[in-house]
mmCIF file with all atom_site columns, all heavy atoms in Angstrom:
data_model
loop_
_atom_site.group_PDB
_atom_site.id
_atom_site.type_symbol
_atom_site.label_atom_id
_atom_site.label_alt_id
_atom_site.label_comp_id
_atom_site.label_asym_id
_atom_site.label_entity_id
_atom_site.label_seq_id
_atom_site.pdbx_PDB_ins_code
_atom_site.Cartn_x
_atom_site.Cartn_y
_atom_site.Cartn_z
_atom_site.occupancy
_atom_site.B_iso_or_equiv
_atom_site.pdbx_formal_charge
_atom_site.auth_seq_id
_atom_site.auth_comp_id
_atom_site.auth_asym_id
_atom_site.auth_atom_id
_atom_site.pdbx_PDB_model_num
ATOM 1   N N   . MET A 1 1  ? 0.858  -1.209 -0.015 1.00 0.00 ? 1  MET A N   1
ATOM 2   C CA  . MET A 1 1  ? -0.024 -0.007 0.011  1.00 0.00 ? 1  MET A CA  1
ATOM 3   C C   . MET A 1 1  ? 0.913  1.221  -0.007 1.00 0.00 ? 1  MET A C   1
ATOM 4   O O   . MET A 1 1  ? 1.823  1.360  0.817  1.00 0.00 ? 1  MET A O   1
ATOM 5   C CB  . MET A 1 1  ? -0.883 -0.033 1.278  1.00 0.00 ? 1  MET A CB  1
ATOM 6   C CG  . MET A 1 1  ? -1.808 1.152  1.319  1.00 0.00 ? 1  MET A CG  1
ATOM 7   S SD  . MET A 1 1  ? -2.987 0.880  2.671  1.00 0.00 ? 1  MET A SD  1
ATOM 8   C CE  . MET A 1 1  ? -3.045 2.441  3.353  1.00 0.00 ? 1  MET A CE  1
ATOM 9   N N   . ALA A 1 2  ? 0.623  2.178  -0.897 1.00 0.00 ? 2  ALA A N   1
ATOM 10  C CA  . ALA A 1 2  ? 1.461  3.386  -1.017 1.00 0.00 ? 2  ALA A CA  1
ATOM 11  C C   . ALA A 1 2  ? 1.125  4.325  0.141  1.00 0.00 ? 2  ALA A C   1
ATOM 12  O O   . ALA A 1 2  ? -0.040 4.448  0.571  1.00 0.00 ? 2  ALA A O   1
ATOM 13  C CB  . ALA A 1 2  ? 1.131  4.107  -2.348 1.00 0.00 ? 2  ALA A CB  1
ATOM 14  N N   . PRO A 1 3  ? 2.114  5.037  0.691  1.00 0.00 ? 3  PRO A N   1
ATOM 15  C CA  . PRO A 1 3  ? 1.883  6.000  1.718  1.00 0.00 ? 3  PRO A CA  1
ATOM 16  C C   . PRO A 1 3  ? 1.153  7.210  1.167  1.00 0.00 ? 3  PRO A C   1
ATOM 17  O O   . PRO A 1 3  ? 1.234  7.480  -0.042 1.00 0.00 ? 3  PRO A O   1
ATOM 18  C CB  . PRO A 1 3  ? 3.262  6.369  2.243  1.00 0.00 ? 3  PRO A CB  1
ATOM 19  C CG  . PRO A 1 3  ? 4.156  6.018  1.143  1.00 0.00 ? 3  PRO A CG  1
ATOM 20  C CD  . PRO A 1 3  ? 3.531  4.888  0.383  1.00 0.00 ? 3  PRO A CD  1
ATOM 21  N N   . TRP A 1 4  ? 0.542  7.957  2.042  1.00 0.00 ? 4  TRP A N   1
ATOM 22  C CA  . TRP A 1 4  ? -0.157 9.188  1.697  1.00 0.00 ? 4  TRP A CA  1
ATOM 23  C C   . TRP A 1 4  ? 0.526  10.343 2.373  1.00 0.00 ? 4  TRP A C   1
ATOM 24  O O   . TRP A 1 4  ? 0.924  10.220 3.530  1.00 0.00 ? 4  TRP A O   1
ATOM 25  C CB  . TRP A 1 4  ? -1.603 9.138  2.031  1.00 0.00 ? 4  TRP A CB  1
ATOM 26  C CG  . TRP A 1 4  ? -2.374 8.160  1.256  1.00 0.00 ? 4  TRP A CG  1
ATOM 27  C CD1 . TRP A 1 4  ? -2.291 6.768  1.334  1.00 0.00 ? 4  TRP A CD1 1
ATOM 28  C CD2 . TRP A 1 4  ? -3.282 8.468  0.188  1.00 0.00 ? 4  TRP A CD2 1
ATOM 29  N NE1 . TRP A 1 4  ? -3.132 6.232  0.355  1.00 0.00 ? 4  TRP A NE1 1
ATOM 30  C CE2 . TRP A 1 4  ? -3.787 7.212  -0.331 1.00 0.00 ? 4  TRP A CE2 1
ATOM 31  C CE3 . TRP A 1 4  ? -3.771 9.640  -0.405 1.00 0.00 ? 4  TRP A CE3 1
ATOM 32  C CZ2 . TRP A 1 4  ? -4.665 7.166  -1.392 1.00 0.00 ? 4  TRP A CZ2 1
ATOM 33  C CZ3 . TRP A 1 4  ? -4.653 9.567  -1.365 1.00 0.00 ? 4  TRP A CZ3 1
ATOM 34  C CH2 . TRP A 1 4  ? -5.104 8.346  -1.886 1.00 0.00 ? 4  TRP A CH2 1
ATOM 35  N N   . GLN A 1 5  ? 0.598  11.507 1.754  1.00 0.00 ? 5  GLN A N   1
ATOM 36  C CA  . GLN A 1 5  ? 1.146  12.691 2.420  1.00 0.00 ? 5  GLN A CA  1
ATOM 37  C C   . GLN A 1 5  ? -0.009 13.630 2.590  1.00 0.00 ? 5  GLN A C   1
ATOM 38  O O   . GLN A 1 5  ? -0.872 13.779 1.765  1.00 0.00 ? 5  GLN A O   1
ATOM 39  C CB  . GLN A 1 5  ? 2.252  13.292 1.593  1.00 0.00 ? 5  GLN A CB  1
ATOM 40  C CG  . GLN A 1 5  ? 1.808  13.831 0.252  1.00 0.00 ? 5  GLN A CG  1
ATOM 41  C CD  . GLN A 1 5  ? 2.956  14.410 -0.555 1.00 0.00 ? 5  GLN A CD  1
ATOM 42  O OE1 . GLN A 1 5  ? 4.062  14.494 -0.058 1.00 0.00 ? 5  GLN A OE1 1
ATOM 43  N NE2 . GLN A 1 5  ? 2.682  14.699 -1.817 1.00 0.00 ? 5  GLN A NE2 1
ATOM 44  N N   . ARG A 1 6  ? 0.001  14.286 3.683  1.00 0.00 ? 6  ARG A N   1
ATOM 45  C CA  . ARG A 1 6  ? -1.041 15.337 3.973  1.00 0.00 ? 6  ARG A CA  1
ATOM 46  C C   . ARG A 1 6  ? -0.343 16.662 4.198  1.00 0.00 ? 6  ARG A C   1
ATOM 47  O O   . ARG A 1 6  ? 0.174  16.932 5.242  1.00 0.00 ? 6  ARG A O   1
ATOM 48  C CB  . ARG A 1 6  ? -1.888 14.941 5.200  1.00 0.00 ? 6  ARG A CB  1
ATOM 49  C CG  . ARG A 1 6  ? -3.033 15.906 5.433  1.00 0.00 ? 6  ARG A CG  1
ATOM 50  C CD  . ARG A 1 6  ? -3.897 15.473 6.573  1.00 0.00 ? 6  ARG A CD  1
ATOM 51  N NE  . ARG A 1 6  ? -4.391 14.096 6.508  1.00 0.00 ? 6  ARG A NE  1
ATOM 52  C CZ  . ARG A 1 6  ? -5.473 13.755 5.751  1.00 0.00 ? 6  ARG A CZ  1
ATOM 53  N NH1 . ARG A 1 6  ? -6.176 14.657 5.125  1.00 0.00 ? 6  ARG A NH1 1
ATOM 54  N NH2 . ARG A 1 6  ? -5.852 12.467 5.744  1.00 0.00 ? 6  ARG A NH2 1
ATOM 55  N N   . PRO A 1 10 ? -7.294 17.273 0.167  1.00 0.00 ? 10 PRO A N   1
ATOM 56  C CA  . PRO A 1 10 ? -7.185 15.968 0.767  1.00 0.00 ? 10 PRO A CA  1
ATOM 57  C C   . PRO A 1 10 ? -5.699 15.477 0.700  1.00 0.00 ? 10 PRO A C   1
ATOM 58  O O   . PRO A 1 10 ? -4.872 16.073 0.085  1.00 0.00 ? 10 PRO A O   1
ATOM 59  C CB  . PRO A 1 10 ? -8.038 15.103 -0.187 1.00 0.00 ? 10 PRO A CB  1
ATOM 60  C CG  . PRO A 1 10 ? -7.889 15.727 -1.481 1.00 0.00 ? 10 PRO A CG  1
ATOM 61  C CD  . PRO A 1 10 ? -7.774 17.244 -1.211 1.00 0.00 ? 10 PRO A CD  1
ATOM 62  N N   . ALA A 1 11 ? -5.482 14.347 1.362  1.00 0.00 ? 11 ALA A N   1
ATOM 63  C CA  . ALA A 1 11 ? -4.155 13.723 1.352  1.00 0.00 ? 11 ALA A CA  1
ATOM 64  C C   . ALA A 1 11 ? -3.906 13.219 -0.038 1.00 0.00 ? 11 ALA A C   1
ATOM 65  O O   . ALA A 1 11 ? -4.795 12.918 -0.784 1.00 0.00 ? 11 ALA A O   1
ATOM 66  C CB  . ALA A 1 11 ? -4.064 12.595 2.356  1.00 0.00 ? 11 ALA A CB  1
ATOM 67  N N   . SER A 1 12 ? -2.597 13.160 -0.409 1.00 0.00 ? 12 SER A N   1
ATOM 68  C CA  . SER A 1 12 ? -2.219 12.717 -1.774 1.00 0.00 ? 12 SER A CA  1
ATOM 69  C C   . SER A 1 12 ? -1.345 11.508 -1.702 1.00 0.00 ? 12 SER A C   1
ATOM 70  O O   . SER A 1 12 ? -0.542 11.354 -0.698 1.00 0.00 ? 12 SER A O   1
ATOM 71  C CB  . SER A 1 12 ? -1.455 13.818 -2.477 1.00 0.00 ? 12 SER A CB  1
ATOM 72  O OG  . SER A 1 12 ? -2.177 15.008 -2.485 1.00 0.00 ? 12 SER A OG  1
ATOM 73  N N   . PRO A 1 13 ? -1.460 10.581 -2.616 1.00 0.00 ? 13 PRO A N   1
ATOM 74  C CA  . PRO A 1 13 ? -0.597 9.407  -2.600 1.00 0.00 ? 13 PRO A CA  1
ATOM 75  C C   . PRO A 1 13 ? 0.806  9.783  -2.903 1.00 0.00 ? 13 PRO A C   1
ATOM 76  O O   . PRO A 1 13 ? 1.039  10.721 -3.690 1.00 0.00 ? 13 PRO A O   1
ATOM 77  C CB  . PRO A 1 13 ? -1.205 8.468  -3.642 1.00 0.00 ? 13 PRO A CB  1
ATOM 78  C CG  . PRO A 1 13 ? -1.981 9.392  -4.549 1.00 0.00 ? 13 PRO A CG  1
ATOM 79  C CD  . PRO A 1 13 ? -2.442 10.510 -3.759 1.00 0.00 ? 13 PRO A CD  1
ATOM 80  N N   . VAL A 1 14 ? 1.769  9.069  -2.393 1.00 0.00 ? 14 VAL A N   1
ATOM 81  C CA  . VAL A 1 14 ? 3.232  9.326  -2.708 1.00 0.00 ? 14 VAL A CA  1
ATOM 82  C C   . VAL A 1 14 ? 3.612  8.346  -3.727 1.00 0.00 ? 14 VAL A C   1
ATOM 83  O O   . VAL A 1 14 ? 3.378  7.118  -3.561 1.00 0.00 ? 14 VAL A O   1
ATOM 84  C CB  . VAL A 1 14 ? 4.059  9.137  -1.469 1.00 0.00 ? 14 VAL A CB  1
ATOM 85  C CG1 . VAL A 1 14 ? 5.550  9.344  -1.765 1.00 0.00 ? 14 VAL A CG1 1
ATOM 86  C CG2 . VAL A 1 14 ? 3.623  10.128 -0.368 1.00 0.00 ? 14 VAL A CG2 1
ATOM 87  N N   . LEU A 1 22 ? 9.955  6.253  1.923  1.00 0.00 ? 22 LEU A N   1
ATOM 88  C CA  . LEU A 1 22 ? 9.178  6.574  3.099  1.00 0.00 ? 22 LEU A CA  1
ATOM 89  C C   . LEU A 1 22 ? 8.774  5.375  3.881  1.00 0.00 ? 22 LEU A C   1
ATOM 90  O O   . LEU A 1 22 ? 8.863  5.350  5.091  1.00 0.00 ? 22 LEU A O   1
ATOM 91  C CB  . LEU A 1 22 ? 7.972  7.388  2.681  1.00 0.00 ? 22 LEU A CB  1
ATOM 92  C CG  . LEU A 1 22 ? 8.255  8.863  2.249  1.00 0.00 ? 22 LEU A CG  1
ATOM 93  C CD1 . LEU A 1 22 ? 6.914  9.472  1.731  1.00 0.00 ? 22 LEU A CD1 1
ATOM 94  C CD2 . LEU A 1 22 ? 8.780  9.632  3.417  1.00 0.00 ? 22 LEU A CD2 1
ATOM 95  N N   . PRO A 1 41 ? 1.119  8.679  13.672 1.00 0.00 ? 41 PRO A N   1
ATOM 96  C CA  . PRO A 1 41 ? 1.111  8.705  12.235 1.00 0.00 ? 41 PRO A CA  1
ATOM 97  C C   . PRO A 1 41 ? 2.074  9.757  11.589 1.00 0.00 ? 41 PRO A C   1
ATOM 98  O O   . PRO A 1 41 ? 2.216  9.766  10.389 1.00 0.00 ? 41 PRO A O   1
ATOM 99  C CB  . PRO A 1 41 ? -0.385 9.063  11.907 1.00 0.00 ? 41 PRO A CB  1
ATOM 100 C CG  . PRO A 1 41 ? -0.730 9.949  13.077 1.00 0.00 ? 41 PRO A CG  1
ATOM 101 C CD  . PRO A 1 41 ? -0.020 9.316  14.279 1.00 0.00 ? 41 PRO A CD  1
#
Side-chain angles (χ1 to χ4, degrees):
M1 182 170 138
W4 290 73
Q5 64 182 352
R6 185 176 305 277
S12 303
V14 178
L22 285 174

